[in-house]
Amino acid sequence: TDSPLCLSCPSVPGVDGALAAVAPSPRVRVSGGTSARKGRRWPCWRCPEPSLCSSFQIRSDKDNDIPIRYSITGVGADQPPMEVFSIDSMSGRMYVTRPMDREERASYHLRAHAVDMNGNKVENPIDLYIYVIDMNDNRPEFANQVYNGSVDEGSKPGTYVMTVTANDADDSTTANGMVRYRIVTQTPQSPTQNMFTINSETGDIVTVAAGLDREKVQQYTVIVQATDMEGNLNYGLSNTATAIITVTDVNDNPPEFTASTYAGEVPENRVETVVANLTVMDRDQPHSPNWNAVYRIISGDPSGHFSIRTDPVTNEGLVTVVKAVDYELNRAFMLTVMVSNQAPLASGIQMSFQSTAGVTVSVTDINEAPYFPSNHKLIRLEEGAPTGTVLTTFSAVDPDRFMQQAVRYSKLSDPANWLHVNTTNGQISTAAVLDRESLYIKNNVYEATFLAADNGVPPASGTGTLQIYLIDINDNAPELLPKEAQICEKPSPTAINITAADADADPNVGPYVFELPFVPGSVRKNWTVTRLNGDYAQLGLRILHLEAGMYDVPVTVTDSGNPPLSNTSVIKVKVCPCDENGDCTAIGAVAAAGLGTGAIAAILLCVVILLTMVLLFVVWLRRRERERHAKQLLIDPEDDVRDNILKYDEEGGGEEDQDYDLSQLQQPEAVEHVLSKAPGVRRVDERPVGAEPQYPVRPAVPHPGDIGDFINEGLRAADNDPTAPPYDSLLVFDYEGSGSTAGSVSSLNSSSSGDQDYDYLNDWGPRFKKLADMYGGSED
């Protein structure tokens, strides 16, 4: 039949939505055993009897003839999600096994199969399309729980503010998913409770009333509600979100001074000093261009002594001195200042007035340093002015006209100490003669520095420089150059170029006049001067031959000053015969040195005599050497220690010489006073304990022989030595090392082959007993 068969209904507990079946195969009967038409969709209807809505049946026309087995395949049966649908294999009745959610899956596509008991296909499979009918089981959800928007203050009604959006998971083609918006509350409700409205379909929030003022309300909080079922509050589901609307600032409030007049004070000559703080009030957003103040001086400062900069933190105007003020010119300033914002006023805002204020700046007087009006001051003066000459008055000006102060002057720099300054009026006079040729003059200018100090509190001082340009006078005679020269007598006479040097300046220098004096007469007789130009002349021989030698030639030089000055200088001229190159020959050089023929002969004779004396002295030395060898001494000269210098190659041995026995050099232990000495004593100089020995008087007659002379000289030196002790000394000597090349003293042997007689040694006392035994005894 065409009657639809409900597969499941909303009234069935645990079942979501209704199902409809499409039976495309005419051989499959649905419900009442009638054939289903291919491609027909069965609409859902509310079942009057819930027991009939739990399942529907699929049957084959052959189920009366043979047993049929039914099965289903596809998503929801044997494919995930598994076993949403099940079928009774014998009756072909299908069942829904769990609650269904359209938002999870809105439709299913299954295939039904009919086979016999052997598994052979009885019917071709048919497609089953099952649609889940939507129910309003989802609330609208906002994308954000809190929305932030902004709108300028003073905006007109209808100005867009922001958009809020909510989504509903239900079917949007039905009322279940159709969302509508409305404003629930507005906080604060100023100036009216309905400042904003919202488009119910799009969620756009716009202004609906005028009067937005940031200075009164900076922020609004609006609760927005979204409801499905096309906004039906009775059947629909709802949700809310918060919209925060910030009222942004516009420059609708000009700044205003908090006072009409301000006052400040500044010392004169002080810069970069803040003299006054200007305060303003602005109700716009702090630290924004609408709030930042800009100050201008509109009158009272034509010279630009002041400027006003804005403090970025406090927005105050700092009146600052940028150009030094002078108390003597301006004791006070009356400034008119105006303030505005960094940003221009918003359109439509009319200023009723411009905020202005007056600033009074008082200038305080301080002690200023005196100054020299003309610094550097230049004067011109001839050099050589006598001491005490008044040059100028170099005075300073004290800028403190309203202070009764005195200025005192002193020298700060006077390199040559040529000047004197009057301490009260600054008059400059000479303390010495000014010399243009002095080392203290640079480019004809002498420079001195003076100090002017007042007696203010505290004192102040200033400096000034005086430059004296010295005009040259002819006070220096020219000097002849060169001082020495050489001229050839032969083979051809030559000339000497001469010039002059003058410490003066033009016009007191050249051209010069060179002359030979009349006295002595030999000068003009032998020499001549020829002028080359204003600065040079030539000195030459007037005669053809002049004997070689050194000549002093006086020459007088006169400058061109007014009056002119002259100076006679002597040139030492060496006249000598020359070779072809113009150089003096060897004989000529000697002759030119001032020696005549007789003098040269005398020198040669002296040289011969000196050589002869040297030869005779050498012969005498050789003869004396032969005589010394002919008369042999008792001791070989090489072994004689008298007046000999002994050279030792080494000052000490190495490590092998350090390990030595000092006991060999210790004094005998029998000596009682030595044993009482502390350890480490190496020298004992003291008077002996026992009786002093008595020695016989030395014979007055000296004995012949070298040994006797030597001993007598030693004894005489010992007797006359004032530092020698009057008693014998016990001496302890350190061991200096082994390996001495001198050998043992005990190896000294006397020779009896000589002609000397040493018997007189027996008469010299005990101290010479050993020598007497060695040399004065018998042959044994």
Side-chain angles (χ1 to χ4, degrees):
T1 66
D2 294 333
S3 300
L5 179 62
C6 182
L7 302 182
S8 65
C9 294
S11 60
V12 179
V15 178
D16 180 13
L19 298 178
V22 175
S25 176
R27 291 189 297 270
V28 177
R29 279 185 268 166
V30 179
S31 201
T34 59
S35 299
R37 297 179 180 177
K38 181 179 180 181
R40 182 175 180 181
R41 177 178 177 182
W42 301 92
C44 181
W45 63 293
R46 185 174 296 274
C47 296
E49 185 64 37
S51 61
L52 300 177
C53 297
S54 60
S55 63
F56 71 94
Q57 187 178 17
I58 300 174
R59 294 187 64 186
S60 172
D61 294 338
K62 300 178 181 180
D63 61 352
N64 294 326
D65 300 330
I66 60 174
I68 302 297
R69 294 291 184 264
Y70 300 97
S71 65
I72 55 175
T73 60
V75 175
D78 61 347
Q79 298 179 16
M82 305 287 288
E83 299 179 354
V84 176
F85 303 97
S86 64
I87 189 171
D88 188 332
S89 61
M90 298 301 295
S91 64
R93 188 177 297 276
M94 288 184 60
Y95 301 91
V96 179
T97 63
R98 67 179 70 173
M100 307 186 69
D101 188 357
R102 189 201 69 84
E103 287 71 40
E104 181 180 348
R105 191 172 187 88
S107 64
Y108 295 88
H109 178 202
L110 302 176
R111 303 197 75 181
H113 305 271
V115 296
D116 59 14
M117 299 303 291
N118 295 325
N120 298 319
K121 183 173 65 175
V122 176
E123 299 284 357
N124 290 329
I126 63 171
D127 293 315
L128 300 178
Y129 292 89
I130 303 173
Y131 296 91
V132 182
I133 306 302
D134 183 44
M135 292 181 63
N136 189 21
D137 59 343
N138 291 279
R139 294 179 180 274
E141 296 290 340
F142 283 96
N144 300 302
Q145 195 61 35
V146 178
Y147 290 85
N148 291 286
S150 62
V151 61
D152 290 340
E153 61 175 329
S155 296
K156 297 178 180 181
T159 303
Y160 171 80
V161 179
M162 61 191 300
T163 300
V164 296
T165 304
N167 297 316
D168 196 320
D170 293 327
D171 190 357
S172 60
T173 62
T174 66
N176 297 335
M178 295 180 180
V179 180
R180 298 295 181 263
Y181 303 92
R182 74 185 186 95
I183 293 177
V184 180
T185 60
Q186 166 195 311
T187 305
Q189 297 180 1
S190 174
T192 65
Q193 62 180 355
N194 295 318
M195 293 296 297
F196 306 95
T197 185
I198 188 169
N199 188 308
S200 61
E201 295 184 2
T202 62
D204 293 340
I205 299 177
V206 297
T207 60
V208 71
L212 289 173
D213 190 351
R214 191 205 66 85
E215 287 71 41
K216 295 179 180 180
V217 179
Q218 298 182 5
Q219 190 177 84
Y220 290 91
T221 301
V222 176
I223 303 300
V224 179
Q225 184 183 55
T227 305
D228 58 14
M229 298 299 292
E230 297 183 295
N232 190 326
L233 298 178
N234 295 324
Y235 302 103
L237 301 177
S238 300
N239 215 339
T240 60
T242 302
I244 298 177
I245 302 174
T246 301
V247 181
T248 56
D249 182 51
V250 297
N251 192 15
D252 56 348
N253 293 282
E256 299 179 9
F257 283 106
T258 58
S260 59
T261 59
Y262 299 86
E265 187 179 77
V266 59
E268 63 175 333
N269 301 325
R270 192 77 58 84
V271 294
E272 297 301 328
T273 301
V274 177
V275 298
N277 288 19
L278 310 181
T279 56
V280 295
M281 182 184 65
D282 195 324
R283 292 178 295 175
D284 290 322
Q285 178 69 38
H287 307 290
S288 68
N290 301 328
W291 178 81
N292 295 336
V294 178
Y295 299 88
R296 273 191 311 124
I297 300 175
I298 59 178
S299 66
D301 185 24
S303 301
H305 291 284
F306 303 93
S307 69
I308 306 178
R309 56 186 177 88
T310 304
D311 189 318
V313 177
T314 63
N315 212 27
E316 294 180 349
L318 307 179
V319 182
T320 308
V321 180
V322 295
K323 182 179 178 182
V325 296
D326 190 352
Y327 176 82
E328 285 70 29
L329 298 178
N330 300 97
R331 299 189 182 184
F333 291 86
M334 301 297 296
L335 308 178
T336 302
V337 298
M338 185 181 69
V339 64
S340 59
N341 285 128
Q342 184 177 350
L345 287 175
S347 61
I349 303 299
Q350 299 295 330
M351 291 185 60
S352 59
F353 66 94
Q354 285 187 335
S355 184
T356 59
V359 181
T360 302
V361 180
S362 300
V363 182
T364 58
D365 192 16
I366 63 172
N367 186 27
E368 298 177 82
Y371 67 94
F372 292 86
S374 55
N375 192 19
H376 302 17
K377 184 175 182 180
L378 178 66
I379 62 173
R380 298 174 67 89
L381 176 71
E382 281 191 354
E383 65 171 326
T387 303
T389 302
V390 177
L391 302 181
T392 185
T393 298
F394 195 31
S395 59
V397 176
D398 192 346
D400 298 312
R401 295 178 296 166
F402 302 101
M403 296 182 183
Q404 300 299 325
Q405 298 180 154
V407 179
R408 307 286 292 180
Y409 300 91
S410 61
K411 290 193 301 182
L412 191 61
S413 173
D414 184 11
N417 202 22
W418 284 346
L419 304 177
H420 171 75
V421 60
N422 189 308
T423 58
T424 58
N425 59 13
Q427 187 180 74
I428 309 298
S429 59
T430 59
V433 177
L434 278 63
D435 185 8
R436 191 197 68 85
E437 289 74 37
S438 171
L439 296 177
Y440 299 103
I441 302 297
K442 295 182 179 179
N443 298 325
N444 300 331
V445 175
Y446 180 73
E447 191 170 277
T449 306
F450 297 90
L451 182 71
D454 61 21
N455 57 350
V457 179
S461 61
T463 59
T465 301
L466 178 65
Q467 294 178 329
I468 304 174
Y469 184 89
L470 294 177
I471 302 173
D472 184 46
I473 63 174
N474 193 22
D475 57 345
N476 293 278
E479 292 288 337
L480 189 66
L481 295 176
K483 300 296 183 181
E484 296 181 355
Q486 173 181 307
I487 190 171
C488 291
E489 175 193 22
K490 294 178 181 179
S492 61
T494 58
I496 302 171
N497 290 333
I498 59 176
T499 185
D502 198 329
D504 293 323
D506 190 68
N508 297 318
V509 288
Y512 300 102
V513 177
F514 300 91
E515 297 178 299
L516 295 175
F518 292 95
V519 178
S522 60
V523 175
R524 285 181 171 261
K525 177 182 177 182
N526 297 334
W527 303 90
T528 180
V529 172
T530 304
R531 178 176 177 177
L532 297 178
N533 53 38
D535 294 329
Y536 290 92
Q538 280 190 342
L539 175 65
L541 290 172
R542 180 182 294 274
I543 60 179
L544 296 178
H545 174 73
L546 184 63
E547 185 179 356
M550 295 294 296
Y551 295 89
D552 293 338
V553 181
V555 178
T556 301
V557 184
T558 305
D559 60 22
S560 298
N562 185 19
L565 294 180
S566 299
N567 183 29
T568 300
S569 300
V570 175
I571 302 178
K572 291 186 174 297
V573 181
K574 180 170 66 174
V575 179
C576 60
C578 301
D579 54 18
E580 61 276 5
N581 297 324
D583 299 327
C584 280
T585 60
I587 299 177
V590 175
L595 301 178
T597 304
I600 296 175
I603 292 174
L604 294 176
L605 180 60
C606 290
V607 172
V608 173
I609 294 174
L610 181 61
L611 293 176
T612 303
M613 293 177 63
V614 172
L615 181 61
L616 292 177
F617 180 73
V618 172
V619 172
W620 178 79
L621 288 179
R622 289 187 176 181
R623 180 178 179 182
R624 187 171 181 278
E625 183 69 17
R626 286 196 300 270
E627 291 179 355
R628 188 176 66 84
H629 284 288
K631 183 180 180 180
Q632 294 291 336
L633 295 177
L634 177 62
I635 302 176
D636 189 78
E638 295 295 331
D639 297 331
D640 190 2
V641 297
R642 294 175 298 167
D643 299 333
N644 283 347
I645 298 176
L646 302 181
K647 179 179 179 183
Y648 298 91
D649 292 334
E650 297 182 2
E651 293 185 0
E655 294 182 358
E656 69 277 3
D657 294 335
Q658 304 303 316
D659 188 12
Y660 45 77
D661 184 11
L662 296 180
S663 62
Q664 301 299 326
L665 298 178
Q666 299 292 334
Q667 296 186 16
E669 296 182 358
V671 182
E672 184 176 351
H673 67 278
V674 173
L675 296 177
S676 64
K677 291 295 181 180
V681 176
R682 292 295 179 266
R683 176 178 174 87
V684 180
D685 279 344
E686 60 184 16
R687 190 179 185 84
V689 178
E692 296 183 8
Q694 301 296 325
Y695 302 107
V697 180
R698 299 187 183 98
V701 180
H703 293 271
D706 294 336
I707 295 293
D709 294 339
F710 174 74
I711 294 175
N712 288 332
E713 290 177 2
L715 291 174
R716 190 181 304 109
D719 292 339
N720 296 329
D721 187 4
T723 62
Y727 48 81
D728 291 345
S729 298
L730 301 178
L731 305 180
V732 178
F733 299 93
D734 285 346
Y735 183 66
E736 293 185 357
S738 61
S740 173
T741 58
S744 175
V745 179
S746 62
S747 62
L748 293 176
N749 294 319
S750 62
S751 174
S752 60
S753 61
D755 298 335
Q756 297 291 333
D757 184 8
Y758 300 104
D759 292 339
Y760 56 85
L761 294 176
N762 295 319
D763 300 332
W764 284 6
R767 289 186 295 182
F768 298 95
K769 186 176 183 306
K770 184 65 176 178
L771 291 176
D773 293 342
M774 293 175 61
Y775 293 98
S778 62
E779 292 294 331
D780 296 336

